[in-house]
Amino acid sequence: MTRDDALPPVQDIYGFVYETELTRRIDAVHAPDHFTWIDTAWAVMLMRQGIVPAEHAPRIAAALRDFWAAPDKRYFDFGGIERFVIDREGLDVGGSLTIGRTIPPLRQIFAVRHRLLKLMGMLHDLQEAMLDLAEEHLETVMPGYTHVRQAQPETFGHYLLSAYDPVDRVMKWVEDGAAAMSLNELGCGALAGVSLPIDRDLTSEYLGLDGLIENTNDAVAYTDGFVHLTAALANLVSIFSRLTLDFQFWSGEEYGFLHIPWLAKRHRPASEGGQGGGHSHFMPNKLDNAPIIERTRIAAAELAGLATESLVMASRAPHADMHEMLHMADAPLRAIHAVHRYLHVWIYTLPRMTVHRERMLAVTKQGYSCASELAMRLVTDHGLNYRMAHEVVHEMVAAARTAGIPATELPLHLLDDAAQRSIGRPTGMTQEALRNAMDPEHFVRVTTSRGGTSPAECRRMLDERRPRLAEARGRLVNRVETLERARARLLADLDQLT
């Protein structure tokens, strides 16, 4: 079984460790060891239910309290608390502290929950960085692409929101994964339950869990939550893979839209007299070759493999307690680590990217991506239906491309000549109206349909998304507070038994 404390520290691809006040609280509440919390919760429940003889309870409780005060790593595994009490108080006192339990003993769920909660905090910070960058560029006009060809103008802020929204949707899956990693499987016997008067709900409360995997056979065969979470993380990284592929194209010399900085410690930023970028080992001319972009897509490949592993691990086992159950945490733990490692660096990269607004606008003005707006003006202002207008504008663009005329310099006669060939008459549009219709800055101002690229509409979308992100942060904090209260209650009830 993969133990999360055997994994390397969670850090990004440049070695920077993500840590906040919230992650420190998450670490603290899971200390000293997951098994210590789980085994103590079960032992306290047994004592409160009278399953452990009352005369033994004070000695057991005192031993457990001492262990929490001075944990011993030799007992950090399944049944460790029972062995500790046996070693200290004897077999007669400690020999029934795992009665009614089997493996899997909740350890897999706890390991994933611990790492996942910290990852969610990181992802919320990444979402915040995306929104901040989008807000900075609500009016930054750029070409929008379909089929890797200019299609319609948009703003860079609108583009970033188009990537933020699927991330936000998938984060709901990740939250569902957190709920799936907050279900209690304790008390299932081998699969059919036990005749003892155990209180499974009490152990859920002691462990800060949302509730039970109620059916005891389901509890020992539990796989779907692990599969769901790993698939969600794979989907999340897939979105960033597409985003960073665009960034890689746009930061190349042919586009010149973006500069993606290096953050590796060995490369000096421009503020310190360096070039602010990396270079090829062989080619000294390559001054802007940040590997973070490609490594994000490496993460997508890793996550696709882990999603497959998780699904195959679950699907090849009978619906019962099998050895595979001990390994259902392996793929999601490695997935959490990979997401953290490869995406954390974008929290610091996005605010430091240079966006070349003038270059974006100039390229947009050279192209003909406002043609759909021109066609619509022919419909609304000059009585053509859209198919007729489409044909006229298509003919005009073809002639303009042949002549090498930029979109914002189109002469009216090109439009009228195209109209004469297509519909047998001029359109009646003026030169000023033509230039206005083909102006990308005008395009983004008037494209006000819901979800469109206009700065006002993007501002509305941005203002709706920030509170939703704040609510998601609040739900995560509530989860952590629930864990803190649960642990405190467990130790308080333990003190009452001493």
Side-chain angles (χ1 to χ4, degrees):
M1 178 172 61
T2 297
R3 296 174 56 95
D4 80 322
D5 53 13
L7 292 172
V10 178
Q11 56 189 6
D12 65 36
I13 60 176
Y14 296 123
F16 301 119
V17 175
Y18 176 80
E19 186 178 54
T20 66
E21 177 59 31
L22 187 62
T23 65
R24 288 189 287 271
R25 287 171 63 184
I26 293 167
D27 284 338
V29 79
H30 285 93
D33 175 69
H34 298 163
F35 274 125
T36 300
W37 191 357
I38 297 164
D39 286 2
T40 301
W42 189 256
V44 172
M45 181 276 293
L46 293 176
M47 288 185 283
R48 288 192 59 181
Q49 293 298 106
I51 298 170
V52 170
E55 62 270 20
H56 294 162
R59 294 170 62 187
I60 294 171
L64 295 183
R65 220 32 183 117
D66 289 346
F67 186 89
W68 276 79
D72 187 335
K73 291 184 178 181
R74 293 176 299 171
Y75 300 97
F76 284 5
D77 57 14
F78 175 59
I81 288 297
E82 182 178 67
R83 288 187 291 105
F84 175 78
V85 176
I86 290 172
D87 290 348
R88 171 169 155 160
E89 301 292 339
L91 185 61
D92 288 345
V93 174
S96 294
L97 294 186
T98 57
I99 189 172
R101 289 181 57 189
T102 187
I103 298 174
L106 200 60
R107 176 59 167 78
Q108 292 75 248
I109 283 177
F110 257 55
V112 176
R113 181 180 77 173
H114 182 180
R115 283 287 175 93
L116 177 61
L117 294 180
K118 295 201 291 183
L119 177 71
M120 290 169 66
M122 185 277 284
L123 291 173
H124 290 153
D125 285 348
L126 180 53
Q127 287 181 274
E128 193 85 46
M130 294 178 73
L131 290 179
D132 288 346
L133 188 61
E135 184 168 24
E136 185 179 345
H137 293 283
L138 295 182
E139 298 187 12
T140 300
V141 179
M142 65 172 289
Y145 296 91
T146 64
H147 307 285
V148 203
R149 301 290 187 274
Q150 284 196 34
Q152 289 182 293
E154 65 175 337
T155 65
F156 190 47
H158 184 260
Y159 171 83
L160 290 167
L161 287 174
S162 80
Y164 177 88
D165 281 358
V167 169
D168 193 42
R169 290 193 294 270
V170 174
M171 283 301 293
K172 295 181 176 64
W173 293 19
V174 175
E175 282 199 57
D176 288 344
M181 293 299 106
S182 191
L183 296 177
N184 188 0
E185 63 193 14
L186 292 177
C188 52
L191 65 89
V194 295
S195 59
L196 300 169
I198 61 172
D199 187 341
R200 298 182 69 201
D201 291 321
L202 180 60
T203 59
S204 295
E205 294 173 15
Y206 282 155
L207 298 170
L209 297 166
D210 291 353
L212 297 173
I213 306 174
E214 187 175 36
N215 183 289
T216 52
N217 191 64
D218 181 20
V220 299
Y222 185 59
T223 62
D224 58 283
F226 297 101
V227 174
H228 178 92
L229 174 60
T230 313
L233 295 177
N235 195 355
L236 180 76
V237 178
S238 175
I239 296 162
F240 278 97
S241 179
R242 298 178 70 190
L243 174 71
T244 58
L245 182 60
D246 283 343
F247 282 3
Q248 186 159 33
F249 287 142
W250 297 344
S251 61
E253 293 168 343
E254 288 75 12
Y255 282 88
F257 292 172
L258 305 173
H259 170 71
I260 313 293
W262 274 62
L263 296 182
K265 295 178 182 178
R266 65 181 180 276
H267 294 283
R268 288 183 298 144
S271 61
E272 298 176 7
Q275 294 296 322
H279 55 79
S280 163
H281 179 73
F282 176 75
M283 293 167 285
N285 56 297
K286 296 184 73 173
L287 300 178
D288 187 9
N289 191 34
I292 174 180
I293 305 173
E294 294 166 31
R295 286 176 175 169
T296 303
R297 299 198 299 279
I298 291 170
E302 288 186 18
L303 267 291
L306 291 170
T308 302
E309 175 187 330
S310 183
L311 181 62
V312 172
M313 188 74 72
S315 62
R316 65 182 299 274
H319 191 66
D321 183 5
M322 304 295 292
H323 198 70
E324 287 89 341
M325 303 305 104
L326 295 177
H327 291 272
M328 286 307 304
D330 293 4
L333 280 173
R334 296 203 307 275
I336 290 168
H337 185 80
V339 173
H340 211 141
R341 173 173 164 78
Y342 288 104
L343 295 191
H344 167 215
V345 68
W346 285 105
I347 296 174
Y348 311 107
T349 301
L350 291 176
R352 290 168 174 80
M353 283 194 337
T354 301
V355 180
H356 300 297
R357 293 178 171 89
E358 296 81 5
R359 172 64 179 166
M360 285 181 165
L361 179 59
V363 171
T364 312
K365 286 184 174 181
Q366 289 172 1
Y368 303 90
S369 57
C370 296
S372 62
E373 175 64 16
L374 174 57
M376 283 186 276
R377 294 285 69 80
L378 292 177
V379 172
T380 58
D381 301 340
H382 300 281
L384 279 68
N385 64 61
Y386 192 73
R387 291 276 55 89
M388 294 168 60
H390 186 285
E391 179 63 23
V392 169
V393 175
H394 175 76
E395 287 281 331
M396 180 203 70
V397 169
R401 285 186 188 279
T402 301
I405 302 172
T408 53
E409 298 176 14
L410 287 169
L412 182 61
H413 75 81
L414 278 185
L415 177 64
D416 285 341
D417 290 348
Q420 192 68 46
R421 291 192 299 273
S422 297
I423 62 174
R425 64 174 177 84
T427 62
M429 180 173 276
T430 66
Q431 180 68 63
E432 181 181 2
L434 172 60
R435 295 283 174 87
N436 199 42
M438 295 301 290
D439 177 5
E441 292 177 293
H442 170 79
F443 182 100
V444 300
R445 286 195 300 272
V446 301
T447 307
T448 56
S449 58
R450 184 173 177 124
T453 194
S454 75
E457 179 61 9
C458 286
R459 167 59 66 185
R460 180 195 65 76
M461 290 190 282
L462 186 75
D463 289 346
E464 286 185 359
R465 282 146 182 76
R466 285 199 185 277
R468 292 208 300 262
L469 177 57
E471 290 169 4
R473 287 185 183 277
R475 290 191 296 272
L476 178 59
V477 171
N478 287 340
R479 280 197 172 276
V480 177
E481 291 175 346
T482 296
L483 300 185
E484 292 169 338
R485 288 192 298 268
R487 175 172 153 146
R489 180 189 171 187
L490 170 64
L491 295 178
D493 284 3
L494 179 62
D495 287 339
Q496 290 180 358
L497 293 166
T498 56

